[in-house]
Amino acid sequence: MPPWPASNFVLGERRAYSRDDGTPGWDALEEIVGGLEGGSSISFASGMAGIAAIFEQLPTGSVVALPDDCYQGVAGLAQAGQSRGRWTVHCVAVADTTHWIKMCGMADLIWLESPSNPLLTVADLDIICAAPRKRGAILGVDNTFATPLNQRPLALGADVAVQSVTKFIGGHSDLLGGVVSVRDAKLLAALRQARELAGATPGTLETFLAVRGARTLALRLERAQRNAMTLAERLVRHPNVAVTRYPGLASHPTHEAARRQFRGFGTIISFDVSGDSRAADAVCAGLQLLQHATSLGAVESTIERRASVPGQEHLPPNLLRLSVGIESVEDLWTDLDRALRNAAIG
Ligand SMILES: Cc1ncc(COP(=O)(O)O)c(C=O)c1O
């Protein structure tokens, strides 16, 4: 699929104007991600644009159930809507399945993120999606961390699955994009209308890059999650690491749910450096190969102290979130081990 720069089309055929009717480029991205998620898709300018279009569906006075650990942008969007009187937010612990089941009967939007960002708690999505829902409710899952290759929320019974294409689908830290996938044609039409009215459309170059990125998603994921498993197993034993979270570890609190629901355990690890925030900052500063950078899901490994991010101050101050890339695992370990040891000395 080449880049398809077009706002206007000759009238009389399928399309008139791209904001309303899409472009062949957007169609290609939607077909790829929708095919992987097992639904019909609509592409947006970013993951957040797609998520905002979902929240936009809620009538005033709605109830929103939100994970207590989730992407801070979504938490910010939910809080902003609450403070304007649009809806009320109920925070639910990701692993508290009983509470989620209760919220399914009460909430108009049940929003899940699994594994969660950055504590990597895996929700019992299969059980929660099967619980009876309030009439008209939407159950949405941010599937960005798992990718549709490792988890398919629509097949479990979710109404909506979201990908921030910015992350794994694009895979090279060079674009912003989002795709929302659904099972219901009416919801798809409503989301298309939300995109049309708000104008949060994907860019031509970004769409081209996302489609190109998707072609190597499976290969990148396979390599990166193999790297992640090796690093997680070594981090657990490292003398300067206090806690290691990775859903693939048997010691992970929600490992059983991960085994049940994931085809692979993903590429994100979060771990607490022994010591305080200064020790964790020193690790980031001491790395040479791993990039001290935000975001995730790219070919290069990135690491960040999450409590330093606005809206994430409640997290352990020494928690580092590591997105493992496709580099040589021994090069990654050499860099990480050296930075951890030097931080402990400093
Ligand atoms: C889990 C998750 N969902 C959604 C988003 C938002 O995506 P975007 O930056 O493409 O708007 C992010 C961004 O970091 C994310 O990590």
Side-chain angles (χ1 to χ4, degrees), residues 46-48 51 71 113 117 142 144-145 164 166-167 176-177 296:
S46 65
M48 280 309 297
I51 295 167
Y71 175 56
E113 189 179 296
N117 179 6
D142 188 329
T144 302
F145 269 37
S164 164
T166 313
K167 319 295 182 198
L176 281 173
L296 54 114

Side-chain angles (χ1 to χ4, degrees), residues 111-126:
W111 188 257
L112 285 137
E113 189 179 296
S114 181
S116 66
N117 179 6
L119 298 176
L120 302 172
T121 309
V122 182
D124 288 323
L125 269 194
D126 48 357

Side-chain angles (χ1 to χ4, degrees), residues 1 41 87 99 116 198:
M1 175 56 61
S41 296
W87 50 67
H99 197 176
S116 66

